[in-house]
Amino acid sequence: MESSEARKRDSKIVAAVRLSRWREHVPFTIPLTIFGGLLALEPEAAADWRLFAVLAGNVLAMSFAFMLNDIEDAPDDALDRQKKQQNVISNGLLSRREGIALTVTVFVAALAMYVASGVMTLAIGGATLALCYLYSAHPFRFKARPLTDVVSHALMLSGLLVAVGYFTYGAERREVWLVIAAASLFSAYGQFYNQVVDYEVDKEAGLKNTAVLLGRGPTSILGHLSIALALLCMLAAILQGLFPVWLGTILVIGVITTILFPWEYDMRGNLARDGGNVQRPGLIIANLLALIWLASNMGLITVL
């Protein structure tokens, strides 16, 4: 009996972790938050506990967004064999009530991290949590509305994550908006890319998102335009001297490696199309840059 109860408890824990879908958001949440925080610091200043508190807050906020999304999508996902296997609410590993309880707990924990990190962090973090809710929850469902699907996705999954990290230290460098804009545009590209890939399925399901409204061709063009504008914003930020010069060496090595060893799959594990093969290596490079910069800032490594 005890063994059966233990197995059941363990399966619930595994399901709870799966509900967070942490593998899908932690790879971009970490670098965006760290970049935001380090951009706000003077060269001689070191990151403190607040950056790690806001990093935890952002990870929890993104977990909240993905958990709520699966709860709200559970009835529809139950009708699709593949999605049913992936959604722990749809396949019955967790009840809707258990899922909601876990989601509320994560929301409160994220809010606590933002409260501990300062007033500006609480304001921007609170806005992020609100947008995460509006994106998936009925009857708002920003994800199913043209334009708001892309804008809300770009802000809550990128732009606001950078802003939370940056304003934790109350800095006022206007150039940071170039980085926030670049992050938002990269995220917008991701949304356009996913909508183009899912176009036929979304259209058959009666979903009225931006791609269904504009068509696959124009949406693909918007995705490429977003990438181009994002790269221009990042170039402008680099020329403004926002990043340490030595990071450029690591960036160049990463880009060359990506070109020499291209990836076949995009972030969702599908065969890449329209530039989707740079998504995973791009995130690896971003994490490498962010973690090395943080280690250097904290004196853990010395960069010559």
Side-chain angles (χ1 to χ4, degrees):
M1 180 64 71
E2 291 183 2
S3 177
S4 176
E5 289 296 325
R7 285 197 298 269
K8 184 177 180 180
R9 181 177 63 251
D10 291 344
S11 67
K12 291 288 186 181
I13 294 174
V14 172
V17 173
R18 283 181 56 188
L19 182 62
S20 72
R21 290 166 59 186
W22 64 273
R23 295 177 184 271
E24 298 179 44
H25 57 81
V26 168
F28 64 78
T29 303
I30 288 176
L32 290 175
T33 306
I34 292 176
F35 280 138
L38 295 180
L39 284 169
L41 294 172
E42 296 296 330
E44 65 278 4
D48 57 24
W49 65 269
R50 288 175 293 175
L51 180 57
F52 297 97
V54 80
L55 176 58
N58 278 349
V59 170
L60 289 166
M62 292 301 96
S63 296
F64 165 71
F66 280 76
M67 293 167 79
L68 180 62
N69 183 75
D70 273 8
I71 291 172
E72 294 295 303
D73 286 355
D76 294 331
D77 288 351
L79 303 177
D80 183 281
R81 180 178 299 179
Q82 183 176 357
K83 290 183 177 181
K84 182 178 180 179
Q85 292 177 345
Q86 296 171 345
N87 190 323
V88 297
I89 305 298
S90 298
N91 61 31
L93 292 177
L94 289 176
S95 68
R96 178 179 174 85
R97 184 175 181 179
E98 290 171 329
I100 291 175
L102 286 168
T103 303
V104 171
T105 300
V106 170
F107 173 89
V108 173
L111 194 61
M113 291 295 101
Y114 291 142
V115 169
S117 304
V119 175
M120 280 298 294
T121 302
L122 175 59
I124 302 173
T128 303
L129 287 170
L131 201 52
C132 290
Y133 177 80
L134 294 171
Y135 185 77
S136 296
H138 292 85
F140 309 102
R141 297 285 282 179
F142 282 4
K143 62 178 288 184
R145 301 174 187 272
L147 186 60
T148 59
D149 56 352
V150 177
V151 173
S152 57
H153 183 280
L155 289 176
M156 76 179 192
L157 297 184
S158 286
L160 289 176
L161 298 181
V162 178
V164 171
Y166 184 82
F167 288 103
T168 295
Y169 294 102
E172 295 182 358
R173 293 176 66 184
R174 294 181 180 178
E175 296 92 341
V176 74
W177 293 106
L178 290 170
V179 180
I180 293 174
S184 300
L185 287 165
F186 278 125
S187 182
Y189 152 74
Q191 181 74 323
F192 286 131
Y193 175 89
N194 290 338
Q195 289 190 4
V196 168
V197 172
D198 297 338
Y199 179 76
E200 295 297 339
V201 175
D202 290 345
K203 191 173 182 181
E204 290 179 4
L207 191 64
K208 298 180 180 179
N209 56 24
T210 299
V212 173
L213 176 67
L214 298 179
R216 176 178 284 168
T219 303
S220 181
I221 292 173
L222 285 175
H224 289 99
L225 180 61
S226 296
I227 283 288
L229 290 174
L231 292 174
L232 286 175
C233 287
M234 282 303 298
L235 178 61
I238 292 171
L239 293 177
Q240 290 289 333
L242 267 66
F243 300 94
V245 176
W246 55 265
L247 279 180
T249 303
I250 301 173
L251 177 61
V252 170
I253 294 173
V255 171
I256 292 175
T257 302
T258 300
I259 294 173
L260 293 177
F261 304 98
W263 294 57
E264 297 182 0
Y265 299 96
D266 59 25
M267 278 297 298
R268 299 195 298 180
N270 300 320
L271 284 174
R273 51 188 293 182
D274 294 332
N277 59 333
V278 303
Q279 293 176 2
R280 291 187 177 188
L283 281 178
I284 292 174
I285 294 171
N287 277 275
L288 185 63
L289 291 170
L291 293 174
I292 291 178
W293 188 8
L294 178 61
S296 173
N297 172 270
M298 299 183 69
L300 300 177
I301 61 173
T302 301
V303 180
L304 299 178

